[in-house]
Amino acid sequence: MEDEQSFSDICGGRLALQRRYYSPSCREFCLSCPRLSLRSLTAVTCSVWLAAYGLFTLCENSMVLSAAIFITLVGLLGYLHFVKIDQETLLIIDSLGIQMTSSYASGKESTTFIEMSKVKDIVINEAIYMATAESWTRRRTTRTSQCPYGMPVLQAEN
């Protein structure tokens, strides 16, 4: 059985949550966001290149234009490969464990598996970070784990 719902993120973007139930003991939750928009890509590229052209007219050095092109390309590749996440999937198999997969815009996938014997509880934590709300899922395990942004992690209770 598959169920899909649409939500909006803090910036008004569309998020799609798909819930799939393969069996009573196996569930999958998939959160997808829209692909990189051509409008934002064009706006960033134009602003960097216009600033570089302004510097070029002041100093008349062609290295400024070459550096702007290089910085734009490297920055875009870095953003697509390390920052822009298109889809996050949480696969829960009751007797086995939890698998978390993040798919980046560049095609890179990052997968983490946690055995069910190490999971004590799942905590959904929300925080305000630099005028945006960030939320992430943290699981309490028997080992110490790091939270993003240096936030403290709940210690496992014995």
Side-chain angles (χ1 to χ4, degrees), residues 80-91:
L80 292 176
H81 194 68
F82 297 112
V83 177
K84 177 70 171 118
I85 296 177
D86 282 340
Q87 180 176 323
E88 289 186 309
T89 305
L90 184 69
L91 177 65

Side-chain angles (χ1 to χ4, degrees), residues 34-46 76 84:
R35 302 272 181 190
L36 184 64
S37 73
L38 189 59
R39 178 181 294 169
S40 64
L41 176 65
T42 304
V44 169
T45 304
C46 286
L76 178 64
K84 177 70 171 118

Side-chain angles (χ1 to χ4, degrees), residues 98-128:
I98 300 172
Q99 176 179 312
M100 296 177 292
T101 305
S102 297
S103 300
Y104 292 85
S106 66
K108 173 184 148 184
E109 284 193 358
S110 171
T111 302
T112 305
F113 182 78
I114 304 166
E115 294 178 26
M116 197 55 85
S117 62
K118 295 186 178 184
V119 175
K120 287 191 173 187
D121 197 5
I122 295 179
V123 176
I124 298 175
N125 194 2
E126 295 183 13
I128 296 176

